[in-house]
Amino acid sequence: MPGLSAYEKIAEPEEIRLLTRLGKRLAGRSFLHVNSTSEGGGVAEILHRLISLFRELGILARWEVLKGNPPFYDMTKRIHNALQGQGSEITPRMWEIHREVNDSNARQIPLEADLVFIHDPQPAALIHHRRDGLWVWRCHVDVSHPQPEAWRELAGHVGRYDAAIFSGAKFAQRLAVPQFVVPPSIDPLSEKNRDLGEQEVREILDGHGIGLDKPLLVQVSRFDRFKDPLGVIAAYRMVKKYHDCRLILAGGPASDDPEGEEILSRVREEARNDPDICVLLLPPFSDRTINALQRAATIVLQKSTREGFGLTVAEALWKSKPVIGGAVGGIPSQIHHGATGFLVHSVEGAAYRIRQLLHNPELGKRMGEMGREHVRRNFLITRQARDYLALWVALEHRGERVIQI
Ligand code: UDP
């Protein structure tokens, strides 16, 4: 894995200096992370890299994964949905299972550390086994509109922590404990974001039968209603009357989500008679392909109608692409309308902005450059590492009038 010095050439020098200073201050201290999955998903990917950066700084960073059983995973999926406002019934027995699995894991996992980060709801009940150190609940989910009963149960655990962290102010809930906002980040050196040569990009696209002879509109997303792939096709159709271009919708297969499967088959149906619409079903771990698709794009779309942070936007901006995104979730923090891309509220709006950008490649280029700089300053992993360490120092000095970092 690349070390901190590899990021020195990319991130803001001040950010690296601060990170190093915080590292010196916290060297020799222990920092434990607990979540419920060691791979798959952006959270685990970034955690791998963060742990290695913290270790390089001399911090005794450790990562433990909660072990569950099928009823537990069924239950935590329900919690996940309920916290996002969807109607999943959670019975009292299910909450008991949640607690039992947390209790039995607490007997296996050494929980002693100076700072403990518990990620998401699955291991939240470990707090009842706290012995020492500071405990922080790190929430990656949007809990702004939860089912009240589910939130009440979870808040019973969260209220015992020293603090909670959310990915954005609008994803948070009212809590009795101090709250912090730490947005997610991307790793510029990962397989998904590292530089790729033009030749490599061409070969990867070639491998998928995608020609580069027309402007490419690309959306990389799960096939999910809220990512609005059908809206993207409708916008493309409006544009296609005036501009010859190609649309690529790339995303993971709808694993266990029956609605996702239906969306995918409707997308395929819509795409059937148009050789310029390419629906690409990506297997897990398609990072290099995603990287190439985003780099090959003329315009990247993320036309969501509901969104968490929307990491694909940061990924595309990092590749200097103009991005057209739905004005929802974390997208407006990444797309500054008219500067790093365009925010849209409708199919017509998306079509209008696609046409504008296709007409004016210089504008797209300028936006892409500004987008990359915006991501460089705000959404790289070094910023997230720095935030976590600054938060650690701040929590240890709670109540002091001035906290020197
Ligand atoms: N992604 C992926 N495979 C897919 C679709 C998406 O690896 O088939 C990646 C994408 O590059 C991004 C993440 O998964 O890093 C999706 O994060 P985002 O916040 O955009 O959306 P979510 O799926 O979490 O709602």
Side-chain angles (χ1 to χ4, degrees):
M1 249 186 221
L4 194 53
S5 63
Y7 294 89
E8 277 169 11
K9 299 179 200 81
I10 302 170
E12 275 293 277
E14 184 52 34
E15 187 165 280
I16 303 286
R17 265 200 294 279
L18 188 51
L19 184 55
T20 312
R21 196 151 77 228
L22 285 161
K24 280 204 181 103
R25 185 164 171 168
L26 294 163
R29 315 283 305 282
S30 51
F31 190 177
L32 168 65
H33 291 260
V34 184
N35 79 339
S36 62
T37 167
S38 61
E39 54 185 33
V43 174
E45 187 182 308
I46 288 291
L47 206 44
H48 270 294
R49 213 39 91 92
L50 282 173
I51 297 279
S52 119
L53 287 177
F54 291 148
R55 285 187 179 158
E56 188 182 336
L57 291 166
I59 294 166
L60 309 176
R62 203 155 51 85
W63 175 7
E64 300 279 357
V65 177
L66 195 83
K67 289 186 190 68
N69 49 30
F72 174 77
Y73 292 121
D74 172 58
M75 150 15 144
T76 54
K77 190 158 191 254
R78 284 166 189 262
I79 300 185
H80 187 87
N81 290 340
L83 290 179
Q84 303 198 83
Q86 288 151 24
S88 291
E89 201 210 346
I90 307 175
T91 63
R93 175 66 198 133
M94 291 176 183
W95 283 108
E96 278 170 26
I97 294 171
H98 181 250
R99 186 61 191 266
E100 284 163 17
V101 167
N102 273 261
D103 290 348
S104 78
N105 272 270
R107 289 190 286 276
Q108 314 291 326
I109 301 174
L111 292 171
E112 291 77 17
D114 295 312
L115 177 62
V116 179
F117 265 30
I118 301 292
H119 295 259
D120 285 333
Q122 296 90 333
L126 288 176
I127 185 69
H128 300 280
H129 300 273
R130 155 200 201 142
R131 277 181 285 276
D132 54 8
L134 290 164
W135 280 57
V136 174
W137 187 57
R138 198 330 173 192
C139 180
H140 300 275
V141 187
D142 176 359
V143 295
S144 55
H145 299 93
Q147 260 186 36
E149 313 80 61
W151 175 250
R152 205 175 320 113
E153 282 285 341
L154 190 67
H157 304 308
V158 176
R160 292 170 172 258
Y161 283 76
D162 294 299
I165 303 178
F166 295 94
S167 290
K170 58 176 135 177
F171 304 139
Q173 265 293 334
R174 199 177 280 275
L175 280 169
V177 301
Q179 296 178 55
F180 297 85
V181 171
V182 177
S185 62
I186 62 160
D187 182 352
L189 300 174
S190 67
E191 195 60 11
K192 197 181 285 170
N193 297 307
R194 72 175 173 90
D195 283 344
L196 289 182
E198 267 179 39
Q199 178 65 21
E200 204 175 348
V201 169
R202 206 168 306 120
E203 279 167 18
I204 296 169
L205 267 81
D206 232 25
H208 290 282
I210 302 167
L212 288 170
D213 51 330
K214 298 178 186 180
L216 290 187
L217 314 178
V218 174
Q219 175 159 303
V220 177
S221 272
R222 290 180 288 112
F223 288 96
D224 176 306
R225 176 157 54 111
F226 297 115
K227 306 284 185 185
D228 201 17
L230 292 165
V232 172
I233 294 180
Y236 153 84
R237 290 233 155 93
M238 288 180 182
V239 172
K240 183 80 170 173
K241 288 186 211 144
Y242 308 94
H243 289 271
D244 196 14
C245 57
R246 238 183 219 124
L247 172 64
I248 300 171
L249 291 166
S255 51
D256 53 352
D257 176 4
E259 199 190 71
E261 264 166 49
E262 184 185 328
I263 299 289
L264 177 59
S265 63
R266 283 176 59 196
V267 165
R268 284 191 157 139
E269 184 57 33
E270 284 291 320
R272 208 157 45 97
N273 295 322
D274 187 337
D276 280 334
I277 304 181
C278 168
V279 180
L280 204 59
L281 211 52
L282 297 173
F285 308 108
S286 297
D287 290 4
R288 194 161 158 269
T289 306
I290 291 174
N291 192 342
L293 288 171
Q294 289 168 334
R295 283 182 193 280
T298 312
I299 299 167
V300 170
L301 296 152
Q302 191 52 65
K303 211 207 128 331
S304 308
T305 54
R306 217 162 106 176
E307 190 52 88
F309 179 72
L311 269 177
T312 50
V313 173
E315 289 163 10
L317 292 175
W318 178 245
K319 289 152 192 137
S320 304
K321 298 298 165 179
V323 184
I324 297 173
V328 290
I331 295 180
S333 70
Q334 304 175 72
I335 298 182
H336 292 172
H337 185 67
T340 62
F342 289 115
L343 293 171
V344 294
H345 301 84
S346 63
V347 167
E348 291 75 14
Y352 175 74
R353 295 304 182 183
I354 295 169
R355 288 189 63 198
Q356 185 180 0
L357 283 167
L358 288 178
H359 256 304
N360 192 343
E362 269 308 306
L363 174 67
K365 190 159 174 280
R366 270 203 312 278
M367 284 184 156
E369 278 160 15
M370 276 197 268
R372 181 171 167 102
E373 182 58 10
H374 181 50
V375 170
R376 196 182 70 80
R377 286 174 180 271
N378 297 289
F379 299 116
L380 295 187
I381 188 168
T382 38
R383 190 272 305 149
Q384 194 172 351
R386 182 206 65 191
D387 283 353
Y388 282 175
L389 298 190
L391 187 94
W392 188 350
V393 172
L395 280 177
E396 286 201 325
H397 292 269
R398 266 170 306 181
E400 290 175 25
R401 216 151 54 85
V402 178
I403 301 170
Q404 184 89 36
I405 291 178

